[in-house]
Amino acid sequence: MKPRYIGHVSHSDPVFEYFRNEIQPQIIDVSSADYRVFKMNGSNDVYLYEERSTNTKFIGKFFVSSGRMEREYNNLGMMRNYGFDSGPHYIARPLGRNPYINDLLVTEYCQGELLSDVINNAIQNHNYRHLYYRLTGLAYFLSKFHNRTAENANVNFDDTCYYMDMLLNRLRDKQLIDRGEADWFYYLRNRWHDNPSMWEDRQVIVHGDATPENFLFGDGLNVMSYDLERLRHADRVYDVGRIAAELGHFFMLNTNNRYKAEPFIGHFLWEYSCHFPDRENTFRAINKRVPYYMGINFLRIARNSWLTWDYSKKLIYEAKQCLEEIWRK
């Protein structure tokens, strides 16, 4: 979704002084500033600001608490310190935060092609080669994101099981699943919990919100990301499985067949695996775990209120199909 113009920042608004005195000098200093405002598509209150005389842009994100604002500010800086401060892998630079102005975080504006647009273009215009190419770049980015942050400790799979419990509770609250369906999902969760392969990899820092709206592509294999509020320690397949599920969701929503995404999911997993010493063993290890993470992400997507009841039920059915892969692992 393109940013929607909503007006100008009033010179009497405290945010104007903050932008002019603290943010603008970090980009291009101007003697007389005037900021246009555009509403971005996001789960938080996210806006694009453009200084009219210089056309310089930056992003303002308002949080509901100072703690969340500080967490994302620190996460952005941390990942840039891991080497994501230049191409081809880039994390948006934080420019400032202000707890006194509605917990405002300001980051630089990154321009590129959204993964969501690439997927939709492939579905609508059959531009499959471009999607394959962008997934190659994303696999490269995420492999570096994970490998640079790998720790000696093994994955704590309990955390992801708790997340699945939370999703099931939300779906029950929305009456999208009943008690019997929930019990079957709990049973499947326990089977995955008892699977040694879910615990054996080293934990890494994951993006935590690896959705098609959170990755931009530049020239070549350049990939940019932002929105790191949900950074956490987890299995690398936490991110990989979310991308796979999002691909399945996009194709199912637009073609009524998630299996049309399978060639692209397979390509993404294979390209991710090439950044390890033993590509084939890595690919096999990821494929053992990815059905669980695809399953919980279909459940996550099914919660969205903008989806129809029937489509949410389809996602829940696909989640069950993925989680029942435990018998074949």
Side-chain angles (χ1 to χ4, degrees), residues 283-311:
F283 183 71
R284 282 193 290 269
I286 289 174
N287 269 287
K288 286 181 181 179
R289 310 199 299 276
V290 79
Y292 176 85
Y293 290 96
M294 286 187 68
I296 64 172
N297 276 289
F298 284 136
L299 295 177
R300 174 187 60 83
I301 298 167
R303 300 174 305 165
N304 288 306
S305 57
W306 58 270
L307 297 173
T308 66
W309 173 275
D310 288 343
Y311 184 71

Side-chain angles (χ1 to χ4, degrees), residues 1-53:
M1 181 182 294
K2 292 183 178 180
R4 176 172 55 86
Y5 174 72
I6 58 175
H8 287 245
V9 177
S10 169
H11 288 210
S12 62
D13 190 326
V15 78
F16 177 85
E17 290 297 321
Y18 178 63
F19 286 163
R20 186 179 64 179
N21 297 330
E22 301 292 336
I23 302 302
Q24 192 67 45
Q26 299 181 59
I27 309 171
I28 298 177
D29 204 359
V30 293
S31 57
S32 178
D34 182 28
Y35 298 104
R36 296 191 290 185
V37 190
F38 301 82
K39 182 71 174 68
M40 301 289 286
N41 182 33
S43 57
N44 296 87
D45 287 326
V46 184
Y47 299 88
L48 168 66
Y49 295 92
E50 180 183 51
E51 202 290 306
R52 189 174 182 180
S53 64

Side-chain angles (χ1 to χ4, degrees), residues 186-213:
Y186 289 132
Y187 171 74
L188 293 171
R189 178 209 60 194
N190 291 340
R191 292 293 302 271
W192 283 97
H193 185 274
D194 294 339
N195 185 344
S197 66
M198 306 306 289
W199 302 80
E200 63 189 11
D201 200 358
R202 290 189 296 164
Q203 70 177 9
V204 302
I205 294 178
V206 297
H207 186 286
D209 196 15
T211 64
E213 293 296 325

